[in-house]
Amino acid sequence: MYSAEPKKIIKTWSDRLTGKNNLWLEAINTEDDGNFQQATMLYLRDATQCWDAGLKARAALSCSCAASCFMRTNNLKLGHILYAEAALMYEDHAQTVLDRSIRESFWALQRAYENYILSGNEEKAQEIFMKYASLSMRISPFFGKEEAMKVLGFKEAVGKSVNLHPAGQMRVSMELFESVEKFLETRRSKSRLDDLDEAMVQAEEAK
């Protein structure tokens, strides 16, 4: 029998990923089009919204993507600030999920390690490496450190060269600075906010 009531639409994971309101996907498409300023703002907006919603790993991903945009446009200080923040978020997430999913905790530690490398903080990256190694040795009494880390798929990383945009350094608008500031304020990341203030002063002096 025909019903006048509208049918409920159940959204799947793939629907959410490709939906029109997906900021992360919109940011990727915008970045692919070469509009790094807008893409960075979209990544930061997604990171802020995800953090507020308690989606910590997703927020860290968007933060890392925003950092990548800054690095590609030769805004290295801002890139390092956001890579460091993403690394900290992944590190915190690894600790939070440890009692629920050891696999996800290992995954988050790998991401934290990579982002610390990209932020230029090799000392902190080494600390995460040792934490991963120590934890991996406990998964089986038959595994040594090297074997355990190989089984878990850990990959050592080194600082990589960045493929800069042909147009050179992107001029960072005040709106974009404010997007970074809003995200860091949401995170209550005082040390990174201090770094951002320094970057803003340097940008003003370079004009």
Side-chain angles (χ1 to χ4, degrees):
M1 181 177 177
Y2 173 77
S3 172
E5 292 184 7
K7 293 181 179 179
K8 292 182 178 179
I9 300 174
I10 301 175
K11 285 196 171 186
T12 64
W13 179 86
S14 60
D15 290 332
R16 289 193 295 271
L17 183 64
T18 57
K20 292 181 179 179
N21 295 324
N22 188 299
L23 283 173
W24 185 72
L25 183 64
E26 186 180 350
I28 288 177
N29 291 334
T30 305
E31 182 180 356
D32 288 344
D33 289 339
N35 189 344
F36 293 102
Q37 184 106 211
Q38 181 64 18
T40 308
M41 291 180 64
L42 288 168
Y43 283 130
L44 287 167
R45 200 190 327 163
D46 186 62
T48 303
Q49 290 182 7
C50 288
W51 179 258
D52 285 339
L55 303 173
K56 296 182 179 180
R58 167 70 179 271
L61 171 62
S62 287
C63 178
S64 184
C65 289
S68 176
C69 283
F70 277 132
M71 297 296 281
R72 290 181 65 188
T73 55
N74 205 24
N75 287 284
L76 305 188
K77 187 172 182 63
L78 289 169
H80 286 158
I81 289 171
L82 291 183
Y83 271 134
E85 193 66 23
L88 180 59
M89 294 165 76
Y90 278 124
E91 184 181 359
D92 290 344
H93 182 64
Q95 184 62 39
T96 300
V97 300
L98 184 58
D99 60 341
R100 301 198 309 269
S101 172
I102 292 178
R103 180 183 293 275
E104 185 171 352
S105 183
F106 277 123
W107 171 85
L109 284 174
Q110 171 81 58
R111 303 288 82 76
Y113 168 78
E114 292 165 352
N115 278 271
Y116 276 127
I117 290 287
L118 291 167
S119 76
N121 192 340
E122 294 192 10
E123 181 179 347
K124 187 64 179 177
Q126 186 63 23
E127 182 183 317
I128 296 298
F129 176 88
M130 297 307 297
K131 185 182 293 187
Y132 192 112
S134 176
L135 188 58
S136 69
M137 289 166 54
R138 289 165 172 74
I139 66 170
S140 171
F142 300 103
F143 285 165
K145 183 186 78 170
E146 299 296 332
E147 188 178 6
M149 293 183 75
K150 184 176 181 180
V151 168
L152 291 166
F154 185 86
K155 296 181 178 63
E156 288 197 64
V158 293
K160 65 176 184 177
S161 59
V162 181
N163 294 321
L164 300 178
H165 193 261
Q169 185 177 33
M170 172 182 72
R171 186 169 179 271
V172 180
S173 68
M174 185 53 63
E175 187 180 9
L176 182 48
F177 269 122
E178 288 172 354
S179 293
V180 179
E181 186 176 41
K182 180 180 179 181
F183 170 66
L184 294 175
E185 284 177 345
T186 299
R187 287 272 300 144
R188 298 177 182 175
S189 183
K190 186 180 184 308
S191 63
R192 237 73 74 186
L193 281 166
D194 291 341
D195 291 340
L196 178 64
D197 286 342
E198 184 180 332
M200 291 174 71
V201 169
Q202 291 176 356
E204 283 297 315
E205 292 176 346
K207 287 182 180 179

Coordinates of all heavy atoms in Angstrom, one line a residue, residues 23-24 26 30 35 39 43-44 57 62 64 66 68 73 80 100 110 116 120 133-134 145-146 148 150 156 170 179 202:
L23 N 33.5 18.3 4.3 CA 34.5 19.4 4.2 C 35.8 18.8 3.7 O 36.5 19.5 3.0 CB 34.6 20.1 5.5 CG 33.5 21.1 5.9 CD1 33.8 21.7 7.3 CD2 33.5 22.3 4.9
W24 N 36.2 17.7 4.3 CA 37.5 17.1 3.9 C 37.6 16.8 2.5 O 38.6 17.0 1.8 CB 37.7 15.8 4.8 CG 39.1 15.2 4.6 CD1 40.2 15.7 5.1 CD2 39.4 14.0 4.0 NE1 41.3 14.9 4.8 CE2 40.8 13.8 4.1 CE3 38.6 13.0 3.3 CZ2 41.4 12.7 3.5 CZ3 39.3 11.9 2.8 CH2 40.7 11.8 2.9
E26 N 35.8 18.1 0.1 CA 35.8 19.4 -0.6 C 37.1 20.0 -0.6 O 37.6 20.6 -1.6 CB 34.7 20.3 0.0 CG 34.6 21.6 -0.7 CD 33.5 22.6 -0.1 OE1 32.8 22.1 0.9 OE2 33.5 23.7 -0.5
T30 N 39.5 20.9 -3.8 CA 40.0 22.3 -3.9 C 41.5 22.3 -4.0 O 42.1 23.1 -4.8 CB 39.5 23.2 -2.7 OG1 38.1 23.1 -2.6 CG2 39.9 24.6 -2.9
N35 N 43.9 25.6 -5.5 CA 43.6 26.7 -4.7 C 43.9 26.3 -3.2 O 43.1 25.9 -2.4 CB 42.0 26.9 -4.8 CG 41.6 28.2 -4.1 OD1 42.4 28.8 -3.3 ND2 40.4 28.7 -4.4
A39 N 41.7 25.6 0.2 CA 41.8 24.2 0.7 C 42.3 24.2 2.1 O 41.7 23.4 2.9 CB 42.8 23.4 -0.2
Y43 N 40.3 22.5 5.3 CA 40.9 21.5 6.2 C 40.8 21.9 7.6 O 40.5 21.1 8.5 CB 42.3 21.3 5.8 CG 42.6 20.4 4.6 CD1 43.4 20.8 3.5 CD2 41.9 19.1 4.4 CE1 43.7 20.0 2.4 CE2 42.2 18.4 3.3 CZ 43.0 18.8 2.3 OH 43.3 18.0 1.2
L44 N 41.1 23.2 7.9 CA 41.1 23.7 9.2 C 39.7 23.8 9.8 O 39.5 23.5 11.0 CB 41.8 25.1 9.3 CG 43.3 25.1 9.1 CD1 43.8 26.5 8.8 CD2 44.0 24.5 10.3
A57 N 40.9 11.5 15.7 CA 41.7 11.0 14.6 C 41.4 11.8 13.3 O 42.3 12.1 12.5 CB 41.6 9.5 14.4
S62 N 42.9 16.1 9.2 CA 42.6 17.4 8.5 C 43.7 18.4 8.9 O 44.1 19.2 8.0 CB 41.2 17.9 8.9 OG 40.2 17.2 8.2
S64 N 46.8 17.7 9.6 CA 48.0 17.3 8.9 C 47.9 17.7 7.4 O 48.9 18.1 6.8 CB 48.2 15.8 9.0 OG 49.3 15.4 8.4
A66 N 46.2 20.3 6.2 CA 46.4 21.7 6.2 C 47.9 22.1 6.3 O 48.4 22.9 5.6 CB 45.6 22.4 7.3
S68 N 50.3 20.2 5.2 CA 50.8 19.8 3.9 C 50.7 21.0 2.9 O 51.6 21.3 2.1 CB 50.2 18.6 3.4 OG 50.7 18.3 2.1
T73 N 53.3 25.3 -0.3 CA 53.3 26.7 -0.7 C 54.4 27.5 0.0 O 54.3 28.7 0.0 CB 51.9 27.4 -0.5 OG1 51.6 27.2 0.9 CG2 50.9 26.7 -1.4
H80 N 55.0 23.6 9.9 CA 55.6 22.9 11.1 C 54.7 23.0 12.3 O 54.6 22.0 13.1 CB 57.0 23.5 11.4 CG 58.0 23.1 10.4 ND1 59.2 23.8 10.2 CD2 58.1 22.0 9.6 CE1 60.0 23.2 9.3 NE2 59.3 22.1 8.9
R100 N 40.9 0.0 24.1 CA 39.8 -0.5 23.3 C 40.3 -1.2 22.0 O 39.7 -2.1 21.5 CB 38.9 0.7 22.8 CG 38.2 1.4 24.0 CD 37.0 2.2 23.5 NE 37.4 3.1 22.3 CZ 37.8 4.3 22.5 NH1 38.0 4.8 23.7 NH2 38.0 5.0 21.4
Q110 N 52.1 5.5 14.7 CA 52.8 5.6 13.5 C 52.5 7.0 12.9 O 53.4 7.6 12.4 CB 52.3 4.5 12.5 CG 52.8 4.7 11.1 CD 54.2 4.1 10.9 OE1 54.5 3.0 11.1 NE2 55.2 5.0 10.4
Y116 N 55.6 14.1 13.6 CA 56.7 14.8 14.3 C 57.9 14.9 13.4 O 58.6 15.9 13.4 CB 57.1 14.0 15.5 CG 56.2 14.3 16.8 CD1 55.6 13.3 17.5 CD2 56.1 15.6 17.2 CE1 54.8 13.6 18.6 CE2 55.3 15.9 18.3 CZ 54.6 14.9 19.0 OH 53.8 15.2 20.1
G120 N 59.7 18.6 12.0 CA 61.1 18.9 12.2 C 61.6 18.5 13.6 O 62.7 18.8 14.0
A133 N 58.0 0.8 20.0 CA 58.9 -0.4 20.1 C 58.6 -1.1 21.4 O 58.5 -2.3 21.4 CB 60.3 0.0 20.0
S134 N 58.5 -0.3 22.5 CA 58.2 -0.9 23.8 C 56.9 -1.7 23.8 O 56.8 -2.8 24.4 CB 58.3 0.2 24.9 OG 58.0 -0.4 26.1
K145 N 61.9 -7.1 19.4 CA 61.5 -5.8 19.0 C 61.4 -5.7 17.5 O 60.4 -5.2 16.9 CB 62.4 -4.7 19.5 CG 62.0 -3.3 19.2 CD 63.0 -2.3 19.7 CE 64.1 -2.2 18.6 NZ 65.0 -1.1 18.9
E146 N 62.5 -6.0 16.8 CA 62.5 -5.9 15.3 C 61.4 -6.7 14.6 O 60.8 -6.2 13.7 CB 63.9 -6.3 14.8 CG 65.1 -5.5 15.3 CD 65.0 -4.0 14.9 OE1 64.4 -3.7 13.9 OE2 65.5 -3.2 15.7
A148 N 58.6 -7.9 15.9 CA 57.3 -7.4 16.3 C 56.9 -6.1 15.5 O 55.8 -6.0 15.0 CB 57.2 -7.1 17.8
K150 N 58.1 -5.2 12.6 CA 57.9 -5.6 11.2 C 56.5 -6.2 11.0 O 55.8 -5.9 10.0 CB 59.0 -6.6 10.8 CG 58.9 -7.0 9.4 CD 60.1 -8.0 9.0 CE 60.0 -8.3 7.5 NZ 61.1 -9.3 7.1
E156 N 59.9 3.3 9.4 CA 60.7 4.4 9.8 C 60.7 5.5 8.7 O 60.5 5.2 7.5 CB 62.2 4.0 10.0 CG 62.3 3.2 11.3 CD 63.8 3.2 11.8 OE1 64.3 4.2 12.1 OE2 64.3 2.1 11.8
M170 N 52.9 31.1 -1.1 CA 51.5 31.6 -1.0 C 51.5 32.7 0.0 O 51.9 32.5 1.2 CB 50.6 30.4 -0.7 CG 49.1 30.9 -0.4 SD 48.0 29.5 0.0 CE 48.6 29.1 1.7
S179 N 41.9 31.3 10.8 CA 41.4 30.0 10.8 C 42.4 29.1 11.5 O 41.9 28.2 12.3 CB 41.3 29.4 9.3 OG 40.3 30.1 8.6
Q202 N 56.2 37.9 11.6 CA 57.1 37.8 10.5 C 56.4 38.1 9.1 O 57.1 38.7 8.3 CB 57.7 36.4 10.5 CG 58.6 36.2 11.7 CD 59.2 34.7 11.7 OE1 58.8 33.9 10.9 NE2 60.0 34.4 12.7

